[in-house]
Structure formats: structure tokens, C-alpha cells
Amino acid sequence: MHVTINIQKIGTYTKLPDRSTIPFGLPPLLNEDENLYGLLEDELDLTLGLEGYKDTGFNDKYHSFFDYMKRTYKKGSSLKEAIGADFVSNRRNLVSIAKSPYEVKRVEIQAIRKNGVIFYVTKKKTVSFKLDVSSEDYSLPYGHRFERYLTLDKYGNQHNKYETLTTDECSKCVLRTTLSSGKETIKLFYSAEIDAIDREGKFVELKTTSYGHMKWLERRSLDHYLQSYFANVPYIIYGQKAGYRSERVFRVNKKWTNSIPNSGVNWKKEVCFNQLFQVLQKIKSKLEYDEEALVLHITREGLFFEPECSNNCTFMEQSFLDHFE
């Protein structure tokens, strides 16, 4: 099966601390100071400003996305026609399904059909079955600090490296992605958090890693590729740390997203895209009518579908459904 993918940027928004949104808000501008790239003369200390740190952006689910849609689409319009898609999801669910032929995390994804559209939300996720594949995830505050070094403030100036780190606001891009195979097409509508935007208007992903190139290819390349690909991000900027528990970045490099599948990886993007298309196709065929629901189980033994009561899908907001026909 050959699957082609077309990703279209629909808009952007800023998510505020109360999970409301400002449509058309853009990510912070990338700090393109040449002294921040290559082998650094002055290493970046990732521990500064972490006193009282709390990731307040965690567990947003659909709150901000629903708010954005209510603000940008006319009340009483048809939801399916307004968004032009079969599915509403988040990027994380798409990545979990697409990478499952190679890298399996135990994930449960709820799917429920409302107003002619199927909504996805992650119900449960536990540790990966692939040894140490998430071993860098402990350092989330350090990743956010790296983002501050590599972005400018709202006045176009470098951030003060001693300022208190917060995650009260973030920027997201709204995308419509079309998967086509033969005569069938499946359309997805979702948002993805964007770390930065460069002077040419390109989206940028910012990451830290302690892995050398070969270990990164084996353990992180697939996840990073799919995450950036489905957000329409053309390149990733990496802060290289000296070791697993290191709190300092000594080198900063750029990697183009479309170059990753050709870098000697042990996976094929075509297999991932086929997996995503086939799973979406099956769910679409199982949920033919509104109020039908199921749970997709991604396990080491394979992918399984279980009928679900729509009343258990608590992520749906009635005010959002009332906004659309």
C-alpha cells in the first residue's frame, strides 16, 4: 500500500494560562545569534531559574483547541464542514500509532464520533517496551530552559538567563493533514505545540540530548522525525549535553527533518505512514454513527479495538458541541 501525505497549515494560536486562546498568535522568534551555534565558548547552564518550576501547560487535552475552534468558526456551522476533516486528534496520538510497528508504548486511545467527526484522546500511557527509549524525558525543565536560551522575548531581546522559568503560555499550530491511498482519503485536524519561528517564517523544534549520533539514531530518531514531520517543522535544533545527567549544553546543531529517514536509521517512514492510514481506516469503518465509541489498545502484542460507552469519553465539552451542528 502506498500512502501519500499532504500537510496544510490552517492557523496558529497562543494558549494562555487559563487554557483560553488568542488566535493568530505566533511562536517566539528564534535566537539566531551565531555565538549560540556550533561548539560553544560558554556552555549553557540549564539549571538557572528553575526555583518553583512547574509545567503548567501539561494535560491541556482539548481545552485550548476547542476554545480556538469556537473563536474561529461561526456558531451553528457544521463541524465536519468547518474543519474539513474526518478526525480531530492531537499530534501525540498520530505519532504513537505511526511508530507502533517499531517502538511500542502501552497506550490506550479513546475514539468517539460526534457531529460526524471522530475525536481521539489518549486514555492511558505507561513506560516504553523499548529499553531506555524515554531515558531523557526526566529533564523536561532543562528542555524548557534550553528553549529560553534559543528564543527571543516579545520585544526581540535575549531572555535574561536568571529569570524565573514558567510555561504559562505556549504557541500552537493548527494543521489539516490528508492521507491518501488509492481512491480513499482520510483527513485529520489537530494542533501541535511549536517552540520557535525563524526570521523566514519557518517553524523550529528545540530539543536537548545526551546521546551521541549513533545512539540517537537508534533510540530517538523515529520519535523526533514523526513529531516534527506532523507539525510541518522543517528543522530541529539540538542542544548537545555531555552526559545523561548533565545540566549543561556544550554544542548546538541543526538537523533537517527530511534528512532523518536517510541518515542510516533502522526504520522506514513508509511503514509508519501505512500503519497510521490502516488504523484510521479501520476506526472510521467501526464508528459509522454518532455516539459510537471505542478504545484502541497499542500493546507489545499488537493493536486491539474494544467497544466503549460514549458516556466514558469525559474529554468532550458540551459547550463546544453546542457551538456546532
Side-chain angles (χ1 to χ4, degrees):
M1 174 188 296
H2 178 66
V3 176
T4 59
I5 297 181
N6 178 52
I7 301 176
Q8 178 186 6
K9 186 179 79 172
I10 302 300
T12 58
Y13 65 87
T14 299
K15 181 182 78 68
L16 301 175
D18 64 357
R19 298 188 292 195
S20 64
T21 59
I22 302 175
F24 312 113
L26 291 174
L29 193 64
L30 181 68
N31 188 347
E32 301 188 57
D33 182 348
E34 62 181 17
N35 293 317
L36 281 174
Y37 296 85
L39 186 62
L40 302 181
E41 226 176 273
D42 298 314
E43 295 183 350
L44 306 181
D45 186 346
L46 302 180
T47 67
L48 302 179
L50 299 186
E51 298 81 5
Y53 170 87
K54 184 179 180 182
D55 183 11
T56 54
F58 180 72
N59 205 29
D60 177 34
K61 291 189 177 179
Y62 281 116
H63 299 289
S64 64
F65 195 27
F66 285 168
D67 184 78
Y68 165 84
M69 292 167 70
K70 287 191 290 184
R71 291 177 186 271
T72 52
Y73 294 107
K74 184 179 178 181
K75 184 177 176 63
S77 57
S78 163
L79 174 61
K80 189 172 179 65
E81 291 179 5
I83 66 174
D86 307 295
F87 291 86
V88 169
S89 183
N90 58 41
R91 174 178 52 176
R92 186 183 306 109
N93 288 332
L94 306 183
V95 171
S96 294
I97 296 169
K99 71 180 182 179
S100 60
Y102 297 103
E103 185 180 297
V104 179
K105 290 185 178 181
R106 186 182 296 278
V107 181
E108 296 178 5
I109 300 174
Q110 286 181 321
I112 180 173
R113 178 167 163 155
K114 294 276 191 179
N115 295 17
V117 177
I118 298 171
F119 292 81
Y120 270 167
V121 70
T122 303
K123 184 178 180 183
K124 180 181 179 182
K125 181 169 69 172
T126 58
V127 296
S128 170
F129 290 115
K130 188 173 182 179
L131 183 61
D132 290 334
V133 74
S134 300
S135 61
E136 295 188 305
D137 293 346
Y138 84 96
S139 58
L140 185 62
Y142 300 152
H144 285 152
R145 171 50 67 197
F146 178 67
E147 291 173 14
R148 287 296 178 89
Y149 280 113
L150 268 292
T151 56
L152 302 176
D153 66 18
K154 61 183 178 181
Y155 303 108
N157 300 317
Q158 292 187 6
H159 289 280
N160 183 331
K161 63 183 180 180
Y162 297 105
E163 70 183 6
T164 301
L165 182 65
T166 67
T167 59
D168 286 345
E169 295 185 9
C170 72
S171 299
K172 296 193 177 187
C173 178
V174 180
L175 305 116
R176 182 187 298 113
T177 291
T178 303
L179 291 81
S180 303
S181 181
K183 296 182 179 180
E184 186 170 359
T185 61
I186 296 174
K187 295 189 176 184
L188 305 160
F189 195 72
Y190 58 97
S191 67
E193 186 171 339
I194 303 297
D195 294 333
I197 187 170
D198 69 13
R199 286 177 293 188
E200 297 179 356
K202 295 186 178 74
F203 291 152
V204 183
E205 183 73 26
L206 302 172
K207 292 188 177 297
T208 61
T209 182
S210 59
Y211 290 148
H213 180 66
M214 296 307 295
K215 187 174 286 188
W216 176 84
L217 285 176
E218 177 189 353
R219 299 189 177 187
R220 300 302 284 163
S221 61
L222 177 56
D223 194 65
H224 290 183
Y225 169 73
L226 292 173
Q227 183 182 0
S228 296
Y229 179 84
F230 283 119
N232 210 22
V233 172
Y235 64 91
I236 307 167
I237 292 177
Y238 285 95
Q240 184 71 47
K241 300 185 294 182
Y244 172 56
R245 292 290 178 180
S246 173
E247 300 164 348
R248 305 181 76 87
V249 167
F250 70 90
R251 183 190 294 274
V252 176
N253 295 319
K254 176 193 291 187
K255 184 175 289 292
W256 292 94
T257 303
N258 61 11
S259 73
I260 296 175
N262 303 315
S263 300
V265 296
N266 56 3
W267 47 266
K268 293 183 179 180
K269 64 180 182 178
E270 293 82 7
V271 173
C272 298
F273 298 155
N274 286 344
Q275 175 82 329
L276 180 60
F277 184 86
Q278 290 176 16
V279 170
L280 295 173
Q281 186 182 47
K282 184 166 289 188
I283 291 175
K284 188 177 177 182
S285 69
K286 288 178 176 290
L287 303 182
E288 295 185 81
Y289 305 103
D290 281 359
E291 306 305 323
E292 292 184 328
L294 59 76
V295 176
L296 167 64
H297 298 269
I298 301 177
T299 73
R300 180 167 45 185
E301 292 75 29
L303 276 62
F304 305 96
F305 301 90
E306 177 186 9
E308 173 83 323
C309 174
S310 61
N311 292 334
N312 294 332
C313 298
T314 56
F315 64 91
M316 300 300 301
E317 296 180 7
Q318 192 58 46
S319 63
F320 170 76
L321 295 174
D322 291 342
H323 187 87
F324 295 97
E325 290 183 351

